[in-house]
Amino acid sequence: MTSFLDDPQYLFTSESVTEGHPDKMCDQISDAILDAIIADDPMARVACETATTTGLVMVLGEITTSTYVDFQSVVRDTVRDIGYTNAEYGFDYQTCGTMVSVVEQSPDIAMGVDEAMEVRGDGSEPSARHELGAGDQGMMIGFACTETPELMPLPIALAHRLARRLAEVRKSGRLPYLRPDGKSQVTVEYERGVPKLVRNVVIAAQHDPDVRIERLRSDIIESVIMPTIPPELRIKDPVMHINATGRFVIGGPMGDAGLTGRKIIVDTYGGMARHGGGAFSGKDPTKVDRSASYAARWVAKNVVAAGLADRFEIEIAYTIGIAHPESVSIETFGTGHVPDEMILAAIDRHFDLRPARIIDALDLRRPIYRQTAAYGHFGRTDGDFPWERTGKAAALAADCGLTVPSSVTAS
Protein backbone atom coordinates (compact mmCIF):
# COMPACT_ATOMS: atom_id res chain seq x y z
CA MET A 1 0.00 0.00 0.00
CA THR A 2 1.37 3.43 -0.94
CA SER A 3 1.80 5.66 2.11
CA PHE A 4 0.46 9.20 2.13
CA LEU A 5 4.00 10.12 3.23
CA ASP A 6 5.10 9.39 -0.35
CA ASP A 7 3.09 12.35 -1.67
CA PRO A 8 5.38 15.40 -1.72
CA GLN A 9 2.49 17.89 -1.69
CA TYR A 10 -1.29 17.75 -1.70
CA LEU A 11 -4.37 19.68 -0.56
CA PHE A 12 -7.11 18.45 1.76
CA THR A 13 -10.43 20.16 2.56
CA SER A 14 -12.93 19.67 5.38
CA GLU A 15 -16.15 21.47 6.26
CA SER A 16 -18.23 22.14 9.35
CA VAL A 17 -21.63 23.72 9.99
CA THR A 18 -23.05 25.90 12.75
CA GLU A 19 -25.60 24.75 15.29
CA GLY A 20 -28.27 26.60 13.30
CA HIS A 21 -27.82 24.49 10.17
CA PRO A 22 -31.09 22.56 9.68
CA ASP A 23 -29.42 19.13 9.74
CA LYS A 24 -27.46 20.03 12.87
CA MET A 25 -30.59 21.41 14.48
CA CYS A 26 -32.19 18.00 13.98
CA ASP A 27 -29.17 16.26 15.50
CA GLN A 28 -29.41 18.50 18.57
CA ILE A 29 -33.15 17.92 18.99
CA SER A 30 -32.69 14.15 18.76
CA ASP A 31 -29.90 14.23 21.32
CA ALA A 32 -31.78 16.62 23.60
CA ILE A 33 -34.65 14.11 23.64
CA LEU A 34 -32.18 11.29 24.35
CA ASP A 35 -30.69 13.29 27.24
CA ALA A 36 -34.12 14.06 28.70
CA ILE A 37 -34.98 10.35 28.67
CA ILE A 38 -31.67 8.90 29.83
CA ALA A 39 -31.39 11.40 32.70
CA ASP A 40 -34.37 9.68 34.36
CA ASP A 41 -34.16 6.23 32.74
CA PRO A 42 -30.53 5.27 32.02
CA MET A 43 -31.57 1.88 30.64
CA ALA A 44 -33.95 3.32 28.03
CA ARG A 45 -33.70 2.26 24.41
CA VAL A 46 -33.80 5.30 22.16
CA ALA A 47 -33.60 5.64 18.40
CA CYS A 48 -34.93 9.15 17.83
CA GLU A 49 -34.95 10.84 14.43
CA THR A 50 -35.89 14.44 13.72
CA ALA A 51 -36.86 16.13 10.46
CA THR A 52 -37.58 19.80 9.89
CA THR A 53 -38.82 22.10 7.17
CA THR A 54 -40.44 25.53 7.04
CA GLY A 55 -42.41 25.98 10.26
CA LEU A 56 -42.37 22.31 11.24
CA VAL A 57 -40.37 19.83 13.37
CA MET A 58 -41.18 16.11 13.17
CA VAL A 59 -39.91 13.66 15.81
CA LEU A 60 -40.13 9.98 15.00
CA GLY A 61 -38.49 6.70 15.90
CA GLU A 62 -38.49 3.85 18.38
CA ILE A 63 -38.28 4.57 22.11
CA THR A 64 -38.75 2.17 25.01
CA THR A 65 -38.66 3.92 28.39
CA SER A 66 -40.24 4.03 31.82
CA THR A 67 -40.16 7.83 32.00
CA TYR A 68 -42.20 10.62 30.44
CA VAL A 69 -40.79 13.37 28.26
CA ASP A 70 -42.61 16.43 26.99
CA PHE A 71 -41.35 16.24 23.41
CA GLN A 72 -42.76 19.63 22.41
CA SER A 73 -41.00 21.41 25.26
CA VAL A 74 -37.68 19.75 24.46
CA VAL A 75 -38.02 20.69 20.80
CA ARG A 76 -38.89 24.32 21.52
CA ASP A 77 -36.19 24.74 24.17
CA THR A 78 -33.55 23.38 21.80
CA VAL A 79 -34.65 25.58 18.90
CA ARG A 80 -34.65 28.62 21.21
CA ASP A 81 -31.16 27.87 22.54
CA ILE A 82 -29.82 27.56 18.99
CA GLY A 83 -31.09 31.05 18.25
CA TYR A 84 -34.27 30.75 16.20
CA THR A 85 -36.09 33.30 18.34
CA ASN A 86 -37.46 35.66 15.69
CA ALA A 87 -40.29 34.94 13.24
CA GLU A 88 -38.47 37.08 10.67
CA TYR A 89 -35.89 34.27 10.35
CA GLY A 90 -38.61 32.15 8.74
CA PHE A 91 -38.52 29.74 11.68
CA ASP A 92 -38.83 30.32 15.42
CA TYR A 93 -39.30 28.26 18.55
CA GLN A 94 -42.62 29.79 19.58
CA THR A 95 -44.59 29.29 16.37
CA CYS A 96 -43.08 26.18 14.76
CA GLY A 97 -45.37 23.17 14.62
CA THR A 98 -44.31 19.90 16.26
CA MET A 99 -45.38 16.40 15.23
CA VAL A 100 -44.42 13.27 17.16
CA SER A 101 -44.68 9.67 15.96
CA VAL A 102 -42.86 7.30 18.31
CA VAL A 103 -43.28 3.55 18.92
CA GLU A 104 -41.43 1.07 21.13
CA GLN A 105 -38.30 -0.74 20.02
CA SER A 106 -38.97 -3.87 17.99
CA PRO A 107 -39.01 -6.95 20.27
CA ASP A 108 -37.00 -8.79 17.60
CA ILE A 109 -34.18 -6.30 18.06
CA ALA A 110 -34.56 -6.09 21.84
CA MET A 111 -34.22 -9.87 22.17
CA GLY A 112 -30.71 -9.86 20.73
CA VAL A 113 -29.58 -6.74 22.57
CA ASP A 114 -30.90 -7.83 25.98
CA GLU A 115 -28.90 -11.06 25.88
CA ALA A 116 -25.97 -11.61 23.55
CA MET A 117 -25.76 -14.82 21.53
CA GLU A 118 -22.71 -15.81 23.58
CA VAL A 119 -25.02 -16.02 26.62
CA ARG A 120 -28.16 -17.30 24.91
CA GLY A 121 -26.35 -20.25 23.33
CA ASP A 122 -28.79 -22.61 21.66
CA GLY A 123 -31.61 -21.53 23.97
CA SER A 124 -31.93 -24.93 25.64
CA GLU A 125 -30.79 -23.74 29.08
CA PRO A 126 -30.92 -20.37 30.82
CA SER A 127 -27.57 -18.75 31.52
CA ALA A 128 -26.44 -17.30 34.82
CA ARG A 129 -24.43 -14.63 32.98
CA HIS A 130 -25.70 -11.44 31.38
CA GLU A 131 -24.18 -9.80 28.33
CA LEU A 132 -25.52 -7.13 26.01
CA GLY A 133 -25.51 -7.96 22.35
CA ALA A 134 -24.60 -5.34 19.76
CA GLY A 135 -27.63 -3.24 18.83
CA ASP A 136 -26.96 -3.58 15.10
CA GLN A 137 -24.53 -4.90 12.55
CA GLY A 138 -21.98 -2.57 10.99
CA MET A 139 -18.45 -1.29 11.08
CA MET A 140 -17.22 1.64 13.15
CA ILE A 141 -14.12 3.71 12.49
CA GLY A 142 -11.80 5.49 14.91
CA PHE A 143 -8.97 7.83 13.95
CA ALA A 144 -6.28 10.01 15.52
CA CYS A 145 -3.19 11.81 14.29
CA THR A 146 -0.53 14.19 15.59
CA GLU A 147 -1.61 17.22 13.54
CA THR A 148 -3.25 19.07 16.46
CA PRO A 149 -2.96 18.95 20.28
CA GLU A 150 -6.33 17.19 20.41
CA LEU A 151 -4.97 14.57 17.96
CA MET A 152 -7.41 15.45 15.20
CA PRO A 153 -6.85 16.28 11.51
CA LEU A 154 -6.10 19.97 11.13
CA PRO A 155 -8.70 20.74 8.38
CA ILE A 156 -11.72 19.58 10.40
CA ALA A 157 -10.33 21.08 13.63
CA LEU A 158 -10.07 24.51 11.98
CA ALA A 159 -13.45 24.17 10.26
CA HIS A 160 -15.09 23.46 13.63
CA ARG A 161 -13.35 26.43 15.23
CA LEU A 162 -14.60 28.73 12.49
CA ALA A 163 -18.18 27.45 12.76
CA ARG A 164 -18.12 27.80 16.53
CA ARG A 165 -16.68 31.32 16.19
CA LEU A 166 -19.55 32.27 13.87
CA ALA A 167 -22.00 31.28 16.60
CA GLU A 168 -19.99 33.11 19.28
CA VAL A 169 -19.93 36.47 17.49
CA ARG A 170 -23.65 36.13 16.75
CA LYS A 171 -24.68 35.25 20.30
CA SER A 172 -22.39 37.79 21.96
CA GLY A 173 -23.81 40.60 19.82
CA ARG A 174 -20.47 41.40 18.24
CA LEU A 175 -22.03 40.81 14.82
CA PRO A 176 -25.71 41.22 15.70
CA TYR A 177 -26.94 40.95 12.12
CA LEU A 178 -25.90 37.30 11.82
CA ARG A 179 -28.54 34.58 11.94
CA PRO A 180 -28.14 30.99 13.15
CA ASP A 181 -27.41 29.11 9.91
CA GLY A 182 -23.88 28.91 8.59
CA LYS A 183 -21.07 26.77 7.19
CA SER A 184 -17.29 26.79 7.11
CA GLN A 185 -14.69 25.07 4.95
CA VAL A 186 -10.89 24.94 5.18
CA THR A 187 -8.29 23.74 2.65
CA VAL A 188 -4.90 22.80 4.06
CA GLU A 189 -1.71 22.22 2.09
CA TYR A 190 0.28 19.16 3.19
CA GLU A 191 3.90 18.30 2.50
CA ARG A 192 4.74 14.61 2.95
CA GLY A 193 1.88 14.16 5.37
CA VAL A 194 2.59 17.26 7.46
CA PRO A 195 0.17 20.25 7.34
CA LYS A 196 2.01 23.38 6.29
CA LEU A 197 -0.39 26.15 5.27
CA VAL A 198 -4.07 27.08 5.09
CA ARG A 199 -4.76 27.80 1.43
CA ASN A 200 -8.50 28.49 1.31
CA VAL A 201 -11.20 29.47 3.79
CA VAL A 202 -14.90 29.43 2.90
CA ILE A 203 -17.61 30.94 5.12
CA ALA A 204 -21.35 31.03 4.50
CA ALA A 205 -23.11 33.10 7.16
CA GLN A 206 -26.84 33.74 7.27
CA HIS A 207 -27.60 37.42 7.85
CA ASP A 208 -30.27 40.11 8.13
CA PRO A 209 -31.49 41.42 4.77
CA ASP A 210 -30.30 45.00 5.28
CA VAL A 211 -26.60 44.30 5.89
CA ARG A 212 -24.28 45.21 3.03
CA ILE A 213 -22.20 42.34 1.70
CA GLU A 214 -19.01 44.45 1.87
CA ARG A 215 -19.50 45.01 5.59
CA LEU A 216 -20.31 41.35 6.23
CA ARG A 217 -17.20 40.16 4.42
CA SER A 218 -14.97 42.64 6.23
CA ASP A 219 -16.47 41.74 9.62
CA ILE A 220 -16.16 37.99 9.03
CA ILE A 221 -12.50 38.33 8.07
CA GLU A 222 -11.73 40.50 11.09
CA SER A 223 -13.89 38.81 13.75
CA VAL A 224 -14.04 35.18 12.62
CA ILE A 225 -11.25 34.12 10.26
CA MET A 226 -8.22 36.05 11.54
CA PRO A 227 -8.75 35.17 15.23
CA THR A 228 -9.22 31.50 14.32
CA ILE A 229 -6.55 30.63 11.74
CA PRO A 230 -3.10 30.69 13.43
CA PRO A 231 -0.78 33.27 11.81
CA GLU A 232 1.94 30.69 11.20
CA LEU A 233 -0.47 28.66 9.05
CA ARG A 234 -1.68 31.51 6.84
CA ILE A 235 -0.18 32.04 3.43
CA LYS A 236 0.44 35.68 2.52
CA ASP A 237 -2.85 36.03 0.64
CA PRO A 238 -5.15 33.11 1.47
CA VAL A 239 -8.21 32.70 -0.71
CA MET A 240 -11.27 33.65 1.34
CA HIS A 241 -14.76 33.11 -0.05
CA ILE A 242 -17.41 34.71 2.18
CA ASN A 243 -21.05 34.34 1.13
CA ALA A 244 -19.96 33.63 -2.40
CA THR A 245 -23.47 34.04 -3.84
CA GLY A 246 -23.60 37.56 -2.40
CA ARG A 247 -26.67 36.96 -0.23
CA PHE A 248 -27.70 34.44 2.47
CA VAL A 249 -30.88 35.71 4.12
CA ILE A 250 -33.16 32.68 3.69
CA GLY A 251 -31.63 29.91 5.76
CA GLY A 252 -32.33 27.32 8.42
CA PRO A 253 -35.36 25.08 7.88
CA MET A 254 -36.92 27.69 5.60
CA GLY A 255 -33.97 27.43 3.22
CA ASP A 256 -33.40 23.67 3.39
CA ALA A 257 -35.11 20.71 4.99
CA GLY A 258 -33.13 19.15 7.83
CA LEU A 259 -32.69 15.56 8.98
CA THR A 260 -30.88 13.77 11.80
CA GLY A 261 -27.69 11.99 10.78
CA ARG A 262 -26.99 13.84 7.54
CA LYS A 263 -23.70 15.41 8.64
CA ILE A 264 -21.73 12.31 9.59
CA ILE A 265 -18.45 13.53 8.09
CA VAL A 266 -18.78 16.81 9.99
CA ASP A 267 -19.43 14.72 13.10
CA THR A 268 -16.26 12.66 12.71
CA TYR A 269 -12.95 13.40 10.96
CA GLY A 270 -13.86 15.68 8.07
CA GLY A 271 -13.26 12.99 5.46
CA MET A 272 -9.67 12.33 6.55
CA ALA A 273 -10.67 8.87 7.82
CA ARG A 274 -13.13 6.35 6.47
CA HIS A 275 -16.66 6.16 7.86
CA GLY A 276 -18.74 3.10 8.61
CA GLY A 277 -21.95 4.83 7.55
CA GLY A 278 -23.88 4.95 10.81
CA ALA A 279 -24.98 8.24 12.38
CA PHE A 280 -24.74 9.02 16.09
CA SER A 281 -27.37 11.47 17.28
CA GLY A 282 -30.59 10.26 18.87
CA LYS A 283 -29.19 6.79 19.65
CA ASP A 284 -28.71 5.36 23.12
CA PRO A 285 -25.35 3.64 23.82
CA THR A 286 -26.58 0.10 23.13
CA LYS A 287 -26.43 1.19 19.48
CA VAL A 288 -22.86 0.41 18.45
CA ASP A 289 -23.15 3.01 15.69
CA ARG A 290 -22.55 5.43 18.53
CA SER A 291 -20.86 3.65 21.44
CA ALA A 292 -18.42 1.64 19.34
CA SER A 293 -17.51 4.73 17.29
CA TYR A 294 -16.70 6.48 20.55
CA ALA A 295 -14.69 3.44 21.66
CA ALA A 296 -12.84 3.39 18.33
CA ARG A 297 -11.84 7.04 18.79
CA TRP A 298 -10.77 6.21 22.38
CA VAL A 299 -8.54 3.41 21.14
CA ALA A 300 -7.09 5.47 18.30
CA LYS A 301 -6.34 8.49 20.46
CA ASN A 302 -4.59 6.38 23.09
CA VAL A 303 -2.51 4.58 20.45
CA VAL A 304 -1.30 7.89 19.02
CA ALA A 305 -0.83 9.46 22.47
CA ALA A 306 1.29 6.43 23.40
CA GLY A 307 3.60 7.09 20.46
CA LEU A 308 2.81 3.79 18.75
CA ALA A 309 1.92 5.59 15.51
CA ASP A 310 1.63 9.18 14.30
CA ARG A 311 -1.48 8.46 12.26
CA PHE A 312 -3.85 5.65 13.17
CA GLU A 313 -7.18 4.26 12.03
CA ILE A 314 -9.12 1.35 13.51
CA GLU A 315 -12.17 -0.49 12.20
CA ILE A 316 -14.39 -2.50 14.56
CA ALA A 317 -17.18 -4.63 13.05
CA TYR A 318 -20.19 -6.11 14.86
CA THR A 319 -23.13 -8.42 14.26
CA ILE A 320 -26.51 -7.67 15.83
CA GLY A 321 -27.10 -9.69 18.97
CA ILE A 322 -23.45 -10.72 19.39
CA ALA A 323 -21.24 -9.02 21.96
CA HIS A 324 -17.74 -9.65 20.69
CA PRO A 325 -16.63 -7.79 17.55
CA GLU A 326 -16.56 -9.80 14.35
CA SER A 327 -13.26 -8.18 13.41
CA VAL A 328 -10.79 -5.52 14.50
CA SER A 329 -8.36 -4.12 11.95
CA ILE A 330 -5.89 -1.25 12.02
CA GLU A 331 -3.97 1.00 9.63
CA THR A 332 -0.90 3.07 10.55
CA PHE A 333 -0.29 4.61 7.09
CA GLY A 334 3.43 3.96 7.29
CA THR A 335 3.78 5.95 10.54
CA GLY A 336 3.94 3.07 13.03
CA HIS A 337 6.82 2.96 15.50
CA VAL A 338 6.25 -0.70 16.33
CA PRO A 339 4.81 -3.49 14.16
CA ASP A 340 1.06 -3.39 13.51
CA GLU A 341 0.59 -6.85 15.02
CA MET A 342 2.13 -5.62 18.28
CA ILE A 343 -0.29 -2.66 18.36
CA LEU A 344 -3.24 -4.94 17.64
CA ALA A 345 -2.23 -7.32 20.43
CA ALA A 346 -1.83 -4.44 22.88
CA ILE A 347 -5.29 -3.12 21.97
CA ASP A 348 -6.75 -6.57 22.63
CA ARG A 349 -5.12 -6.66 26.07
CA HIS A 350 -6.13 -3.16 27.17
CA PHE A 351 -9.55 -2.55 25.60
CA ASP A 352 -12.68 -4.67 25.95
CA LEU A 353 -14.81 -3.79 22.92
CA ARG A 354 -18.03 -5.57 23.90
CA PRO A 355 -20.95 -3.11 24.05
CA ALA A 356 -21.63 -3.43 27.79
CA ARG A 357 -17.93 -3.00 28.60
CA ILE A 358 -17.73 0.08 26.38
CA ILE A 359 -20.79 1.59 28.07
CA ASP A 360 -19.29 1.00 31.52
CA ALA A 361 -15.75 2.13 30.65
CA LEU A 362 -16.94 5.38 29.05
CA ASP A 363 -19.89 5.91 31.45
CA LEU A 364 -22.31 6.36 28.57
CA ARG A 365 -25.64 6.04 30.38
CA ARG A 366 -25.66 9.76 31.21
CA PRO A 367 -27.25 12.84 29.61
CA ILE A 368 -24.07 14.00 27.82
CA TYR A 369 -25.19 13.79 24.23
CA ARG A 370 -26.74 17.09 23.17
CA GLN A 371 -23.37 18.82 23.60
CA THR A 372 -21.85 16.41 21.06
CA ALA A 373 -24.43 17.21 18.39
CA ALA A 374 -22.74 20.37 17.08
CA TYR A 375 -19.08 21.05 16.26
CA GLY A 376 -18.06 17.39 16.15
CA HIS A 377 -18.09 14.41 18.47
CA PHE A 378 -14.30 14.09 18.56
CA GLY A 379 -11.39 16.29 19.51
CA ARG A 380 -13.57 18.12 22.03
CA THR A 381 -12.02 19.81 25.06
CA ASP A 382 -15.05 21.80 26.21
CA GLY A 383 -16.91 19.14 28.21
CA ASP A 384 -16.93 15.65 29.68
CA PHE A 385 -16.10 13.37 26.76
CA PRO A 386 -14.54 10.17 28.18
CA TRP A 387 -13.55 8.86 24.74
CA GLU A 388 -11.08 11.76 24.53
CA ARG A 389 -9.13 10.66 27.60
CA THR A 390 -5.66 9.16 27.18
CA GLY A 391 -5.48 7.23 30.43
CA LYS A 392 -4.47 4.00 28.68
CA ALA A 393 -1.64 5.50 26.62
CA ALA A 394 1.08 4.88 29.22
CA ALA A 395 0.14 1.21 29.55
CA LEU A 396 0.04 0.78 25.77
CA ALA A 397 3.48 2.37 25.40
CA ALA A 398 4.98 0.20 28.12
CA ASP A 399 3.34 -2.92 26.68
CA CYS A 400 5.01 -2.22 23.34
CA GLY A 401 8.40 -1.49 24.87
CA LEU A 402 8.36 2.26 24.31
CA THR A 403 9.18 5.07 26.68
CA VAL A 404 5.99 6.71 27.87
CA PRO A 405 5.65 10.12 26.17
CA SER A 406 6.06 13.01 28.62
CA SER A 407 2.83 14.57 27.30
CA VAL A 408 0.73 11.59 28.39
CA THR A 409 -1.27 11.97 31.57
CA ALA A 410 -3.44 9.56 33.47
CA SER A 411 -6.61 11.46 32.56
Side-chain angles (χ1 to χ4, degrees):
M1 179 178 179
T2 301
S3 169
F4 78 107
L5 297 172
D6 297 329
D7 295 330
Q9 191 177 61
Y10 62 94
L11 302 177
F12 195 90
T13 301
S14 294
E15 73 158 354
S16 183
V17 298
T18 66
E19 60 209 65
H21 186 282
D23 292 332
K24 269 286 143 230
M25 188 171 78
C26 290
D27 286 341
Q28 291 166 89
I29 291 170
S30 292
D31 271 341
I33 290 170
L34 170 62
D35 277 355
I37 293 170
I38 209 168
D40 192 52
D41 180 12
M43 305 304 289
R45 299 283 169 78
V46 180
C48 178
E49 310 289 347
T50 303
T52 185
T53 187
T54 303
L56 179 64
V57 175
M58 294 173 283
V59 177
L60 55 156
E62 299 82 43
I63 298 175
T64 302
T65 181
S66 60
T67 193
Y68 168 79
V69 169
D70 184 341
F71 288 96
Q72 289 211 12
S73 293
V74 173
V75 168
R76 295 187 191 282
D77 288 349
T78 305
V79 174
R80 180 198 62 217
D81 292 348
I82 290 169
Y84 286 105
T85 56
N86 189 330
E88 292 182 0
Y89 297 172
F91 193 95
D92 76 283
Y93 78 102
Q94 291 179 308
T95 63
C96 67
T98 303
M99 295 177 59
V100 179
S101 178
V102 171
V103 298
E104 290 191 344
Q105 183 182 53
S106 161
D108 294 348
I109 296 174
M111 177 176 62
V113 178
D114 292 342
E115 291 289 0
M117 190 183 74
E118 294 95 320
V119 174
R120 286 180 281 127
D122 62 6
S124 60
E125 296 182 8
S127 171
R129 297 187 296 118
H130 175 68
E131 184 69 62
L132 283 178
D136 204 349
Q137 69 178 46
M139 58 281 191
M140 292 76 207
I141 305 293
F143 183 81
C145 62
T146 57
E147 294 179 15
T148 63
E150 61 269 34
L151 304 185
M152 286 287 286
L154 182 62
I156 188 63
L158 291 177
H160 284 324
R161 291 173 202 170
L162 287 167
R164 188 187 289 274
R165 181 68 179 167
L166 270 178
E168 288 172 358
V169 297
R170 169 177 60 88
K171 291 182 174 182
S172 70
R174 180 166 182 168
L175 301 183
Y177 55 78
L178 292 183
R179 293 180 175 183
D181 199 355
K183 303 179 79 172
S184 63
Q185 185 171 287
V186 178
T187 299
V188 174
E189 177 185 317
Y190 284 76
E191 185 176 311
R192 298 199 181 278
V194 178
K196 293 296 184 181
L197 294 168
V198 172
R199 285 283 177 187
N200 297 52
V201 177
V202 180
I203 297 290
Q206 187 189 15
H207 58 86
D208 289 347
D210 56 352
V211 65
R212 295 175 64 247
I213 187 63
E214 294 81 10
R215 178 190 174 190
L216 182 142
R217 287 174 175 163
S218 175
D219 286 350
I220 294 293
I221 291 171
E222 179 183 346
S223 298
V224 177
I225 296 176
M226 291 306 177
T228 302
I229 306 299
E232 65 273 15
L233 289 175
R234 297 184 212 141
I235 63 172
K236 183 178 179 181
D237 294 306
V239 176
M240 292 184 284
H241 297 292
I242 300 165
N243 284 20
T245 67
R247 182 178 170 89
F248 184 9
V249 173
I250 300 173
M254 187 177 183
D256 289 290
L259 189 65
T260 298
R262 207 157 57 179
K263 285 291 176 284
I264 56 177
I265 300 303
V266 171
D267 285 341
T268 54
Y269 306 101
M272 186 71 77
R274 286 169 282 199
H275 196 292
F280 303 154
S281 291
K283 297 178 181 177
D284 75 81
T286 67
K287 278 74 172 175
V288 284
D289 277 345
R290 182 168 223 158
S291 55
S293 294
Y294 290 173
R297 164 63 178 173
W298 184 40
V299 172
K301 188 171 184 180
N302 276 271
V303 166
V304 172
L308 305 187
D310 297 331
R311 191 181 191 88
F312 183 82
E313 184 182 84
I314 182 171
E315 181 199 66
I316 312 168
Y318 292 88
T319 296
I320 189 169
I322 299 176
H324 289 87
E326 289 294 314
S327 67
V328 177
S329 61
I330 65 172
E331 174 61 67
T332 57
F333 307 95
T335 71
H337 299 290
V338 298
D340 284 6
E341 56 269 24
M342 184 179 288
I343 299 174
L344 200 54
I347 291 169
D348 186 56
R349 284 189 289 271
H350 293 280
F351 294 92
D352 190 332
L353 298 174
R354 289 175 289 177
R357 305 308 189 273
I358 292 171
I359 291 169
D360 290 343
L362 298 180
D363 196 12
L364 296 180
R365 295 193 188 276
R366 297 179 293 139
I368 59 173
Y369 296 107
R370 181 183 164 186
Q371 60 187 326
T372 68
Y375 312 115
H377 293 246
F378 307 127
R380 300 288 291 268
T381 59
D382 58 332
D384 181 14
F385 305 100
W387 49 91
E388 294 297 319
R389 298 172 185 166
T390 54
K392 290 192 179 278
L396 287 171
D399 198 342
C400 293
L402 298 183
T403 302
V404 178
S406 59
S407 60
V408 172
T409 67
S411 62

